[in-house]
Structure formats: structure tokens, C-alpha cells
């Protein structure tokens, strides 16, 4: 339908097996995502896009380990291995992704001092990426989200999408999670409570 968009979150090499922040099975979703791209009128991609030395990298905080929590001015932030550095091979979309149909690529995480999981707002929950305005101007009110990772960028994007008034579905069979301390279960519950439709067609 013309008022629908597919939003493909961070389907990049660094989040796939062999990448710097590999999500288990991250590459397995590519054929299904390509199928959804073919079947959807409007396609938007997000691309995690960090400068070297980004503040979300554990390597930027001497003595800190990846996957630990660090107190930033905007709140607690998980620290990650260096990943998705602008222009690196790891920041490229997975080579099998049928990305050419995308009408927009939203880059996020490019400000050195703030991370951005959501496609809509940075992690201060205040700084917009511009995506909500873009979609509204184009008359798009219904979103399907797929990609990586279920419990971080997909979930944060879905929660912001419903808050911004979009009818929002996450296709869980076209997502894979990182799962830190039960974060997949936690974020699935948050999405459900917030009114995100969770669909899993894996067993269809
Ligand atoms: C992501 C951690 C750090 C994601 C991005 O795409 O879910 N996770 N940067
Ligand atoms: Zn990142």
C-alpha cells in the first residue's frame, strides 16, 4: 500500500557473522528482507555510521570493557566494540542486501558524543534524525521494521515509531538479537506494552 514503508535497520557487515559486533544469525535474514523489499512500495534503510573514536566504543574509555555500562551525560550507555566506522567495510550493507530500491538511507550515530540506536531519535531521546518528518511529509503512516539488532536498534526504533504515531509492526522472523542480560525478552515486552505489533512468520 502507498502509505506503508519498510524500514530495514542496520543490515551491515559489522552486525553479521565475521563482523566487529556480530549478531548470531544476522546474515540469515537477508533473503526474507529482500523478499519484503520487493513487496513493499517504499523502503527506507538505516546505517549505523560512527566516526573513529566514537563515545559508544569501549576503546574510547580507558579501562572499560565492551558490553559494560558507562554513565554518559544523557544516561547509561552500553559500550561496544569499535564497529560501523564511517566508510569502512564493516559499515557497508551486507553484500546480499537488495538495497537499490531504498528511497532514503538514514545514517545515525555520527555525532561523536552521543549514540543513536533509534532511527528517529538519538540516545538522549531529544535529538531527531528527521525520519518522522520525512515519513509524514510523504503521507506514510504504517511501518514494518526488520533488521539488526532486535533488542537495540530495532526495538528503540519501534518504540519511537509508535510514540510518533506510526502504526508499527516488527517482523521478528526478519530480525536477530544481541541478547545482553535478557535484553531480547525485556525489549519484546516493552514493544508489546507500547502497542508495537510483533509478528513472527517463521513457523508459517
Ligand atoms: C546497534 C549496538 C550498537 C544496533 C548499533 O544496530 O542494534 N547495536 N550500535
Ligand atoms: Zn553503533
Amino acid at each position: 500500500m502507498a502509505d506503508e514503508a519498510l524500514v530495514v535497520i542496520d543490515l551491515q557487515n559489522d552486525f553479521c557473522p565475521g563482523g566487529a559486533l556480530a549478531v548470531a544469525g544476522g546474515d540469515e535474514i537477508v533473503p526474507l528482507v529482500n523478499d519484503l523489499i520487493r513487496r513493499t512500495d517504499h523502503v527506507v534503510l538505516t546505517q549505523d555510521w560512527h566516526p573513529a573514536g566514537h563515545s559508544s566504543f569501549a576503546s574510547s574509555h580507558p579501562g572499560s570493557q565492551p558490553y559494560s555500562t558507562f554513565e554518559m551525560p544523557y544516561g547509561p550507555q552500553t559500550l561496544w566494540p569499535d564497529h560501523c566506522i564511517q566508510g569502512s567495510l564493516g559499515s557497508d550493507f551486507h553484500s546480499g542486501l537488495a538495497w537499490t530500491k531504498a528511497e532514503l538511507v538514514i545514517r545515525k550515530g555520527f555525532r561523536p558524543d552521543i549514540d543513536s540506536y533509534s532511527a528517529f531519535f538519538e540516545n538522549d531521546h531529544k535529538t531527531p534524525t528527521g525520519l518522522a518528518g520525512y515519513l509524514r511529509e510523504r503521507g506514510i503512516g504504517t511501518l514494518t521494521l526488520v533488521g539488526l539488532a532486535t533488542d537495540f536498534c530495532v526495538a528503540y526504533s519501534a518504540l519511537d515509531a509508535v510514540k510518533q504515531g506510526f502504526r508499527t509492526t516488527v517482523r521478528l522472523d526478519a530480525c536477530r538479537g544481541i541478547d545482553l542480560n535478557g535484553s531480547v525478552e525485556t525489549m519484546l515486552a516493552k514493544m508489546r506494552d507500547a502497542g508495537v505489533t510483533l509478528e513472527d512468520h517463521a513457523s508459517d
Side-chain angles (χ1 to χ4, degrees):
M1 278 191 296
D3 91 315
E4 284 183 16
L6 179 72
V7 184
V8 181
I9 305 285
D10 297 1
L11 198 23
Q12 295 165 260
N13 290 327
D14 269 343
F15 298 122
C16 290
L21 178 36
V23 180
D27 55 341
E28 294 168 5
I29 64 174
V30 170
L32 176 54
V33 171
N34 286 347
D35 202 42
L36 293 167
I37 288 173
R38 268 190 296 277
R39 286 161 29 198
T40 312
D41 280 349
H42 302 293
V43 177
V44 172
L45 309 179
T46 70
Q47 190 172 25
D48 210 40
W49 194 249
H50 300 303
H54 190 258
S55 58
S56 74
F57 298 167
S59 63
S60 304
H61 306 277
S64 293
Q65 294 304 312
Y67 308 105
S68 64
T69 304
F70 191 85
E71 209 48 52
M72 298 285 215
Y74 54 83
Q77 165 74 47
T78 303
L79 296 180
W80 304 105
D82 292 20
H83 65 280
C84 294
I85 293 178
Q86 296 169 353
S88 67
L89 210 60
S91 73
D92 282 352
F93 294 116
H94 184 284
S95 61
L97 180 68
W99 54 265
T100 54
K101 185 174 166 182
E103 295 170 351
L104 178 73
V105 178
I106 282 276
R107 290 185 171 147
K108 57 186 186 59
F110 51 77
R111 289 187 178 79
D113 296 330
I114 181 164
D115 204 5
S116 186
Y117 294 149
S118 164
F120 294 93
F121 289 95
E122 309 213 358
N123 285 10
D124 61 358
H125 304 292
K126 285 192 199 81
T127 309
T129 63
L131 180 58
Y134 169 88
L135 294 168
R136 276 191 206 110
E137 274 203 65
R138 299 203 51 204
I140 292 169
T142 303
L143 303 179
T144 298
L145 273 64
V146 298
L148 306 172
T150 315
D151 41 344
F152 287 91
C153 291
V154 174
Y156 277 67
S157 298
L159 291 170
D160 280 343
V162 284
K163 245 186 247 162
Q164 291 291 308
F166 296 97
R167 284 177 296 278
T168 307
T169 298
V170 171
R171 274 288 299 261
L172 293 173
D173 48 334
C175 297
R176 291 292 183 275
I178 296 174
D179 210 11
L180 282 185
N181 310 311
S183 52
V184 167
E185 274 318 306
T186 304
M187 296 313 286
L188 289 179
K190 276 196 188 177
M191 288 192 276
R192 220 175 271 124
D193 290 349
V196 177
T197 303
L198 300 177
E199 285 187 14
D200 191 340
H201 295 208
S203 51
D204 287 1

